[in-house]
Each structure stands twice: as C-alpha cells, then as structure tokens.
Amino acid sequence: LTCARVDDLAGAKVFIKGENMQVTGSFKARGALNAVLSLPKLRTKGVVCHSAGNHAAAVAFAARASDLPCHVVIPRSAPKSKVANTESFGATVELCEPSNEVREATVQRIAEELGYHVVPPYDDLHVIAGQGTLAIELIEQLSAVGEE
C-alpha cells in the first residue's frame, strides 16, 4: 500500500505492508504458524504460550490450523477484546497476574501438566524466521512492480 500524504511527510516513497489484514490482525501469525508447523506432529500433544494479545491469537490460530489443542496464558490486565479474539480461535485461556514471572511460571506449569510444547512470543528461532517472511515477501512484491 502507498499513501501520497505519508510520502510527502516522509520525503520519500513509503510502502506499507498491511499486516493488520492477516486473519489474526497482526504479523504475529507468521511466526506462530512457522513455529507450530515446525513441531513434530506425532509427538506434539498441544501448545501453550503467554501473551497479552497478538501472539496469543496467532498461536491459537496456528494450533487450530494444525488440529492441536492450545492453552494461552493472558494477564488479567489485557483488553477483553484480545481475550475474546484468542478464544475465537479455540484456545483455552487462563488469566493470571500481569508480571512476566507469573506468566512464564503458569506456562511452564501447564506445559508440564499437559505435556504441551511452549511457543515463546519472540525468543524462538522458528517464531523469528516466520515473522521474517514479512520482509522477504515485501522485497519480492516491490521487485515485482519495479520498486527495488
């Protein structure tokens, strides 16, 4: 996408990648899908993650697409719309206190109790690689229309 007004403000040609149009509403679906699809299907019982919103919905979406159960730990302070979006993809949501320590401990407890694989929100090579496809796709799209 382009916008002449943004170009004028930036003093350059600006290209906008509409990742908000992804099914989960953000680029996070790319990383979650790559991480979940990279799991060994026969040995994976389910997935669990923690997030206040976008990663939560993305992992829930990826789990549903892979026919895996999903638990998501979300802080009580998260917007209700983020919780509802995550639940709309079939995840079981567990609310917790809004500290990272509590979120991570809750994820570990669920992972151990259920034998689920943890899908970290950002510090995972499969998540990073999946999210990086955004840049590759943008470069390919710009090249296709002569904007290198």
Side-chain angles (χ1 to χ4, degrees), residues 37-51:
L37 293 174
S38 296
L39 296 173
K41 185 74 170 165
L42 296 176
R43 295 192 323 240
T44 303
K45 294 180 180 180
V47 293
V48 60
C49 72
H50 72 83
S51 168

Side-chain angles (χ1 to χ4, degrees), residues 4-55:
R5 178 73 177 129
V6 172
D7 291 351
D8 290 345
L9 290 170
K13 186 84 171 171
V14 175
F15 297 91
I16 302 164
K17 186 94 173 106
E19 288 297 294
N20 60 315
M21 302 301 285
Q22 293 280 4
V23 67
T24 63
S26 81
F27 73 98
K28 293 284 191 169
R30 294 171 178 270
L33 276 167
N34 193 55
V36 172
L37 293 174
S38 296
L39 296 173
K41 185 74 170 165
L42 296 176
R43 295 192 323 240
T44 303
K45 294 180 180 180
V47 293
V48 60
C49 72
H50 72 83
S51 168
N54 290 335
H55 181 67

Side-chain angles (χ1 to χ4, degrees), residues 36 39 41 44-49 59-72 89-92 110 114-119:
V36 172
L39 296 173
K41 185 74 170 165
T44 303
K45 294 180 180 180
V47 293
V48 60
C49 72
V59 172
F61 169 74
R64 185 179 74 181
S66 300
D67 203 26
L68 288 171
C70 177
H71 273 63
V72 178
F89 293 110
T92 299
I110 292 169
L114 300 177
Y116 283 13
H117 179 84
V118 177
V119 181

Side-chain angles (χ1 to χ4, degrees), residues 110-139:
I110 292 169
E112 290 170 13
E113 286 175 3
L114 300 177
Y116 283 13
H117 179 84
V118 177
V119 181
Y122 45 81
D123 53 348
D124 175 88
L125 291 179
H126 293 292
V127 171
I128 294 165
Q131 292 173 352
T133 63
L134 186 154
I136 294 167
E137 188 176 285
L138 180 60
I139 290 167

